[in-house]
Amino acid sequence: MREKISYGLGTCIDMWGHWLYPSLAQAVFLVYLGLDAKWVGLAIGLIRFIDIISDPLAGWISDNTRTRFGRRRPLILIGGTLAGVGLPALFLIPGGIVHSQTLGAPDLFWFMVLSNLIYIPIVSLVNMPYQSLGVELTPDYKERTSIMAVRNLMQKVFESAFFVATGFLTLSWFNDAETGRPNPIIGAQTYCALLGAIMIIASVIIFFNVKERYYAKVQMENRQDARNANGFWKNFGQNLRCRPYRILLSKGFAFCVGTGMVQSLGYIATVYYVAGGDDVVGNRWNSAMGPSYAVGGALGAALFGWVGRYLDKKTTIIAACGWGVVAFGTTWFTYNPAFPWLQLLASGSIGMCNAGFWMLNNSMLADVIDHDEFETGRRREGALASMNSWVLKAGNSFGAMASGFILSATGFVSGQKIQAADTLTTMRLVLALVPIAGIVLTIIIALRYPLTREVVLELRTLLEKRRGAVS
């Protein structure tokens, strides 16, 4: 358990390094500094595309690193330290660029893009070895699900930092001496410095407490042959030749797109349908739905983690998806102006589905890597984990971009407090039906997944006969 908890601490680096910035950027660049929304949105969108190169490259570097301390832990220690130090630097905004432009775009926009162009690859250098380390912690079929359950539970703890972030920025501690009003820039720098310190501590704990169980096997491989087999560009083709891996990628992509396409509709439905266009009331309910989602996620990780120890992972992930169909379907009733508190149940139920799905998906990735080792003779956790991460982020990005077009297609008029009744009805239908379609497709794909418990146990026996047991 100590090693599981130590590993779970690393979720703070992924959560805060990748996903905290957009919410803080809205408060600092859009609201406080007055940067036009189109530039803020474009910057945040471009930042996600940096992962397209940085994730696969970091995964390849991790697979081909050879040190006396292993191939994952040194990168986590170094990268985690740099990520912790660099987090507050994302808001060290030079005062002279606030009202200036370069090449037709505001310098604040260029600052957002260029600072993340440096920072995101550093986070990838931590996150890809971290993801790879998680899927190689144990060869045991059941224990893999247990590890991911602990990791997801701890992730929900670190997600709580999102809920208090914007409130922290406006504390009176950060009041400007001249205006007497809070300065969110100073608040963001302070908040990120505190979180960055925790990220550094987490990387140190992982380095000393988590073991790389497959590294002895990797050291036995001829180094030059390993590099030739794991060439950066060859990884892509080699990955896609693995049928269980293709199914895993397709399943994750379908889930991301289906749920991501309505990620903005939930907020809009709360403000314009449940709260009748009152953004103050709507924002209060949306804030309350955050903790509800986190609690639901913790329950989902515990519940489906327990179920996954007794049932096949494919069966359990289909059950999590089935719960998601119910959760999204009932939003037609739980988004209710007469009983607004029902939204908390909807948010918690969706959190349970998401936590269960991603916990089991990560556990299944470990089984797929065993299959890949059996086929190729190589341990390629970094290559497989990085492409998986890239596909999932691409699915999220595609879903997020599509959500804007979907919202427009419902007839929604920005800036109009009261929306047409037909618009609200269409919005509620889309909020329920689009995710259900994506999740049903996910279930259909999951049914084709071939790595049952019996197959994985047989693979483990054959691999241990070939290269010995992993302790």
Side-chain angles (χ1 to χ4, degrees):
M1 182 56 69
R2 185 183 76 169
E3 190 171 12
K4 290 179 186 176
I5 293 174
S6 297
Y7 174 72
L9 288 172
T11 59
C12 74
I13 302 174
D14 178 29
M15 297 303 297
W16 300 340
H18 273 126
W19 308 112
L20 179 67
Y21 183 80
S23 59
L24 293 180
Q26 295 281 352
V28 172
F29 292 97
L30 178 65
V31 177
Y32 182 68
L33 294 176
L35 181 61
D36 192 288
K38 69 180 181 183
W39 293 113
V40 175
L42 180 60
I44 292 175
L46 290 174
I47 287 167
R48 288 277 62 87
F49 284 99
I50 299 173
D51 294 322
I52 293 176
I53 299 298
S54 64
D55 277 2
L57 182 59
W60 179 81
I61 291 172
S62 178
D63 277 347
N64 290 281
T65 296
R66 304 289 185 270
T67 76
R68 56 179 293 199
F69 300 108
R71 53 179 179 162
R72 317 291 187 198
R73 296 183 304 130
L75 294 175
I76 292 172
L77 177 63
I78 296 170
T81 301
L82 293 174
V85 172
L87 189 62
L90 294 174
F91 296 96
L92 292 177
I93 306 166
I97 71 170
V98 174
H99 302 293
S100 58
Q101 290 193 354
T102 302
L103 299 177
D107 283 349
L108 284 174
F109 164 79
W110 293 116
F111 176 83
M112 292 177 70
V113 173
L114 295 176
S115 59
N116 278 278
L117 186 62
I118 298 171
Y119 185 72
I120 293 299
I122 294 174
V123 180
S124 293
L125 198 61
V126 186
N127 197 34
M128 290 304 98
Y130 176 74
Q131 303 289 346
S132 304
L133 181 61
V135 296
E136 63 181 346
L137 283 180
T138 177
D140 187 83
Y141 181 83
K142 292 182 179 180
E143 190 68 3
R144 285 171 171 169
T145 301
S146 177
I147 289 169
M148 294 306 166
V150 173
R151 168 183 155 176
N152 274 45
L153 284 168
M154 298 189 68
Q155 178 177 309
K156 300 308 170 187
V157 174
F158 296 124
E159 280 182 358
S160 64
F162 294 177
F163 310 140
V164 300
T166 52
F168 186 92
L169 303 191
T170 55
L171 290 174
S172 59
W173 301 343
F174 311 119
N175 282 359
D176 187 279
E178 295 182 4
T179 64
R181 297 177 60 81
N183 185 334
I185 298 177
I186 299 175
Q189 293 168 357
T190 306
Y191 193 63
C192 289
L194 293 172
L195 299 187
I198 297 173
M199 291 164 66
I200 294 171
I201 294 170
S203 65
V204 172
I205 292 174
I206 293 172
F207 180 80
F208 286 105
N209 284 353
V210 182
K211 180 180 179 181
E212 293 190 35
R213 286 173 168 76
Y214 286 87
Y215 189 53
K217 189 264 181 188
V218 173
Q219 287 178 305
M220 291 168 54
E221 299 172 353
N222 179 277
R223 294 187 178 186
Q224 187 60 46
D225 287 346
R227 286 191 176 92
N228 289 338
N230 292 337
F232 179 70
W233 296 112
K234 291 182 180 179
N235 272 330
F236 293 93
Q238 198 168 33
N239 290 351
L240 295 177
R241 283 195 291 271
C242 178
R243 179 173 175 266
Y245 186 63
R246 294 198 304 270
I247 293 173
L248 186 84
L249 294 181
S250 302
K251 171 168 58 68
F253 186 81
F255 188 88
C256 284
V257 172
T259 56
M261 287 175 73
V262 296
Q263 60 184 227
S264 63
L265 284 185
Y267 173 81
I268 297 296
T270 295
V271 173
Y272 290 94
Y273 177 67
V274 178
D278 189 330
D279 59 338
V280 174
V281 175
N283 284 335
R284 287 175 183 170
W285 280 113
N286 274 297
S287 296
M289 289 163 71
S292 175
Y293 180 89
V295 171
L299 291 174
L303 173 63
F304 291 112
W306 177 77
V307 173
R309 294 187 68 85
Y310 298 96
L311 298 180
D312 191 270
K313 293 176 189 176
K314 178 168 74 172
T315 303
T316 309
I317 203 168
I318 289 173
C321 288
W323 180 265
V325 170
V326 174
F328 279 103
T330 54
T331 57
W332 179 262
F333 307 100
T334 53
Y335 279 71
N336 190 327
F339 304 101
W341 56 268
L342 288 176
Q343 295 173 107
L344 303 181
L345 297 180
S347 180
S349 297
I350 292 170
M352 288 183 67
C353 164
N354 285 345
F357 178 86
W358 292 119
M359 173 193 65
L360 289 158
N361 199 66
N362 288 331
S363 181
M364 294 165 85
L365 176 60
D367 300 332
V368 169
I369 289 171
D370 280 354
H371 181 275
D372 180 74
E373 181 190 357
F374 182 76
E375 294 291 327
T376 67
R378 303 286 180 183
R379 293 296 302 183
R380 303 187 315 117
E381 293 92 346
L384 295 165
S386 62
M387 179 175 275
N388 179 63
S389 175
W390 179 82
V391 168
L392 298 182
K393 288 174 182 174
N396 275 321
S397 298
F398 179 82
M401 288 186 289
S403 66
F405 293 99
I406 291 175
L407 183 59
S408 177
T410 65
F412 177 80
V413 180
S414 180
Q416 182 174 298
K417 190 170 184 178
I418 305 299
Q419 302 293 324
D422 289 347
T423 295
L424 295 174
T425 300
T426 304
M427 186 186 305
R428 294 169 59 215
L429 283 171
V430 171
L431 179 61
L433 296 180
V434 169
I436 289 176
I439 293 174
V440 169
L441 178 59
T442 302
I443 292 173
I444 294 172
I445 296 171
L447 288 170
R448 299 174 58 83
Y449 182 72
L451 300 185
T452 62
R453 183 196 303 264
E454 292 73 20
V455 171
V456 173
L457 293 177
E458 182 181 1
L459 275 174
R460 178 180 177 181
T461 301
L462 294 173
L463 287 171
E464 289 181 349
K465 284 182 179 179
R466 177 195 293 176
R467 45 91 165 134
V470 176
S471 61

